[in-house]
Amino acid sequence: MSNWSLLGRRVLAIGDSLAPLSRGPLFGAAMEVAGLDRLADLRPGMTDLILIDADSAEPAALAAAVATLADIPALPPTLFLGGHLPVGLVRALMRLPHADVVEAPYTNEQLQNAIYALLDQAAAQAPVASGHQSRCWTVLGAVGGAGATMLSIEIASALAAKSPRDSSVCLIDLHLADGACAAYLGATPAMGLAQFGPAAERMDAALLAAFASPVSKGLDLLACPRDPTAFSAISREAVLRILEIACDSYDHVVLDMPRHRHGWTLEALSGSDEVLVVSELTVPALLAARALSDEVEAAAALRPRIVLNRLASRMFGPAPSTAEAEKALQRKADGAISSDWEAAAASVNLGGAISQHRPKSKIVRDVGGLVDRLLAERGRRAPLAVPAASRAA
């Protein structure tokens, strides 16, 4: 079995008899059922796959229509379904770059295998993208309410502001059951992984694009709708597939990661360039940050950075100083974000990043400095470890 998925793929089916396939082996595909004359209107990029019922039209007319397909640049894979094909149609078929025949009667599995084989063949001969490099940063809260989600959003927004490209940064909310990124940003969570079950493990870039919620120029959000069963319903392989495709599609990927471990946690951490552990300036939070950092370092073989959040002047309360905080951490802090409650509250209530509603906030300034320092250092991301079972034939 290949890595292809039909979820969200555009399929042009020639012949009314093929319509039931959309409820069976082609479930999840964006399927258009049309007559033979639809082939005359076909243009490059209009569809990802063509299915033709060889018994849907008079043989000579079908052969003539198929012969015209050979002149279309970047013709998508074409699969013929039916009994004995006439000689004229076979000749026309031989001129197509990626085509095959499934002889009736056929099973759903035979049809799917033929489709995936064609898609793999076409992908193998497609031009290979040259040298795309992405960087993946993971943000973890040492305790609940430390501000990790807010910092994930501000870091992703700061990265997007530095890029001239559209959709260059992807923020992924891995709080699958009850993530808050979409609510903070006033966006609609569209990553419905749970409803697709095991089929989500076969996701491709086209479906990922359908799941993405554009937030601002350069920034997309991947977030699941609220679902208390999501952590058990969404497989480890599906989550890792999401991360793999995102890292292939975007220049920067920012993960808002739950602090509690799941089946995919270690792979996601190991595949990150940077892991940022966010802590408040309270002794319990600092001790939790130290313990969490030690766990990450031992399990993922990389040293996380600790970011102190909500720094305020000592006159506002008995919070530890930075020096006292570092003593509790038993290591230097790698970043410090000032407290600006009014700016944070206004942005949450209005929907959007703080940099959008309060661009002069101290939070925006401090996050910008942190991002600049991280960008100045060379990335070290290893490929995400997607299990062989999800790629097996």
Side-chain angles (χ1 to χ4, degrees):
M1 188 177 291
S2 72
N3 282 331
W4 288 98
S5 168
L6 296 178
L7 299 175
R9 307 294 293 185
R10 298 165 300 170
V11 178
L12 174 60
I14 303 300
D16 293 340
S17 65
L18 303 182
L21 296 179
S22 64
R23 299 186 296 275
L26 271 69
F27 177 77
M31 187 166 164
E32 175 190 355
V33 180
L36 186 62
D37 56 346
R38 184 71 174 87
L39 294 179
D41 300 326
L42 197 63
R43 298 291 182 272
M46 289 178 59
T47 187
D48 301 308
L49 174 71
I50 302 173
L51 297 182
I52 299 178
D53 179 3
D55 301 320
S56 64
E58 193 272 331
L62 182 58
V66 170
T68 64
L69 296 179
D71 298 325
I72 298 177
L75 182 72
T78 305
L79 187 62
F80 292 84
L81 311 176
H84 299 288
L85 272 62
V87 174
L89 183 55
V90 172
R91 287 174 177 165
L93 170 62
M94 292 175 64
R95 296 182 57 206
L96 303 184
H98 307 292
D100 199 358
V101 177
V102 175
E103 187 173 358
Y106 50 83
T107 65
N108 288 350
E109 184 179 4
Q110 289 172 328
L111 176 59
Q112 288 179 326
N113 287 341
I115 290 173
Y116 297 144
L118 278 176
L119 291 171
D120 284 337
Q121 181 188 76
Q125 297 184 17
V128 178
S130 58
H132 176 76
Q133 295 289 330
S134 67
R135 299 184 73 180
C136 180
W137 296 351
T138 292
V139 183
L140 282 161
V143 293
T149 293
M150 182 273 290
L151 280 183
S152 298
I153 291 170
E154 295 308 314
I155 288 171
S157 298
L159 287 169
K162 293 177 179 295
S163 175
R165 291 200 316 115
D166 291 338
S167 301
S168 63
V169 181
C170 183
L171 171 61
I172 304 180
D173 191 341
L174 290 176
H175 297 263
L176 304 178
D178 57 353
C181 284
Y184 274 43
L185 290 167
T188 301
M191 190 167 63
L193 291 178
Q195 70 188 75
F196 291 115
E201 299 167 14
R202 301 176 59 85
M203 180 177 298
D204 54 25
L207 184 59
L208 187 80
F211 279 164
S213 302
V215 173
S216 61
K217 183 181 183 299
L219 177 60
D220 289 344
L221 170 69
L222 290 175
C224 291
R226 191 177 184 86
D227 178 359
T229 68
F231 280 113
S232 58
I234 300 173
S235 72
R236 167 177 174 265
E237 290 75 18
V239 174
L240 295 179
R241 182 68 179 148
I242 283 281
L243 302 185
E244 181 183 47
I245 301 174
C247 286
D248 286 339
S249 303
Y250 293 87
D251 297 333
H252 287 88
V253 175
V254 178
L255 308 182
D256 183 16
M257 174 86 79
R259 70 183 187 280
H260 300 299
R261 190 173 294 186
H262 298 278
W264 38 262
T265 300
L266 292 183
E267 285 89 348
L269 291 173
S270 298
S272 299
D273 293 293
E274 300 286 357
V275 175
L276 309 181
V277 174
V278 182
S279 176
E280 294 180 305
L281 277 176
T282 64
V283 171
L286 293 168
L287 295 178
R290 185 178 75 189
L292 181 57
S293 298
D294 291 342
E295 291 171 14
V296 171
E297 189 166 349
L302 62 87
R303 187 175 179 85
R305 299 177 185 270
I306 297 181
V307 178
L308 302 178
N309 192 28
R310 304 191 183 113
L311 264 67
S313 171
R314 301 270 291 195
M315 72 177 63
F316 294 111
S321 66
T322 301
E324 291 168 336
E326 291 178 339
K327 183 177 180 180
L329 292 170
Q330 296 183 356
R331 66 175 72 187
K332 286 283 188 181
D334 295 278
I337 310 299
S338 300
S339 177
D340 190 345
W341 173 255
E342 189 277 333
S347 296
V348 168
N349 291 331
L350 293 172
I354 298 173
S355 58
Q356 174 186 348
H357 298 291
R358 297 290 190 274
K360 296 183 179 181
S361 167
K362 293 178 289 186
I363 295 175
V364 176
R365 177 201 63 199
D366 293 343
V367 169
L370 175 63
V371 167
D372 287 340
R373 289 196 300 276
L374 294 179
L375 287 175
E377 298 186 8
R378 188 171 181 175
R380 54 183 174 179
R381 182 174 58 85
L384 284 165
V386 178
S390 68
R391 303 175 180 274

